Amino acid sequence: AYYDKDGNHYSLNDAFYPITNVQPGEVQSTYLVVANKGSLPFRYRMKETGSWTNTSLEKKKMEAVNYHRFPANDCKGDKYCEGIYYWLNKAGYTNVSAGWSNLTPDSSSYVGGDSSSYELGNKEFTVYRVDFKLNEDAGNEYQDEVYNYDMTVDAKQVNAPSF
């Protein structure tokens, strides 16, 4: 849960909000913060996993097509990023980033990895907006259906072997 700079309260449960009522070709977004609460620096990678409530539907019709990493100290006018940034700064965290990036998953569905571009030190964080898109060829059977998803983040110490 967090408060934005205007005092509005947002509460998040353990799960991400499901994606509902999306039209073919439409994009819906969620926000993900990767933060280091420990004392040792780490590198991270992440991926989306999900499924339709109606298990007869094809999972691949919904994809996490872009992971937008916001640059350090600049939410580009995005009100949700600004709220997250405000709360974490008040909690003593420092926003770091390798720069504004549009990232796409690799062949194993991961974004991030064993690179200093994905490294966080003590009390550092970075903010992502993850865009989900329902493929244009999705038929009427996807109308009013619910897509549930999780974002998995793997972390390892900087000097540890690869993921």
Side-chain angles (χ1 to χ4, degrees):
Y2 66 91
Y3 288 90
D4 67 17
K5 64 183 179 183
D6 299 320
N8 300 309
H9 180 258
Y10 299 92
S11 178
L12 303 174
N13 297 323
D14 291 336
F16 288 94
Y17 291 108
I19 297 174
T20 59
N21 300 322
V22 63
Q23 301 296 316
E26 184 180 349
V27 172
Q28 287 193 16
S29 302
T30 192
Y31 291 80
L32 175 70
V33 174
V34 182
N36 186 347
K37 296 178 6 177
S39 60
L40 296 174
F42 66 77
R43 292 184 176 161
Y44 64 92
R45 66 182 185 174
M46 61 194 135
K47 76 175 183 175
E48 175 268 336
T49 56
S51 63
W52 295 95
T53 302
N54 178 346
T55 56
S56 69
L57 298 174
E58 289 183 67
K59 185 266 185 250
K60 65 182 181 180
K61 295 287 185 183
M62 180 68 76
E63 296 180 86
V65 293
N66 282 309
Y67 291 69
H68 301 281
R69 179 171 50 196
F70 290 93
N73 304 314
D74 186 358
C75 287
K76 301 284 186 191
D78 185 294
K79 69 178 181 176
Y80 298 108
C81 173
E82 288 174 353
I84 295 165
Y85 175 82
Y86 175 82
W87 179 77
L88 284 166
N89 272 280
K90 289 290 186 188
Y93 284 79
T94 301
N95 182 221
V96 297
S97 174
W100 173 254
S101 303
N102 289 322
L103 307 166
T104 54
D106 64 18
S107 60
S108 61
S109 301
Y110 281 99
V111 167
D114 202 6
S115 158
S116 61
S117 294
Y118 303 100
E119 185 173 315
L120 294 174
N122 179 39
K123 296 204 78 145
E124 292 180 339
F125 74 95
T126 192
V127 180
Y128 288 86
R129 185 186 75 225
V130 182
D131 295 334
F132 289 87
K133 182 179 180 182
L134 181 60
N135 291 353
E136 287 87 357
D137 64 351
N140 289 339
E141 65 273 19
Y142 291 85
Q143 186 173 349
D144 298 326
E145 293 295 338
V146 176
Y147 185 77
N148 294 297
Y149 62 94
D150 284 313
M151 301 299 298
T152 301
V153 178
D154 298 328
K156 71 170 201 72
Q157 289 181 1
V158 170
N159 59 356
S162 295
F163 288 98

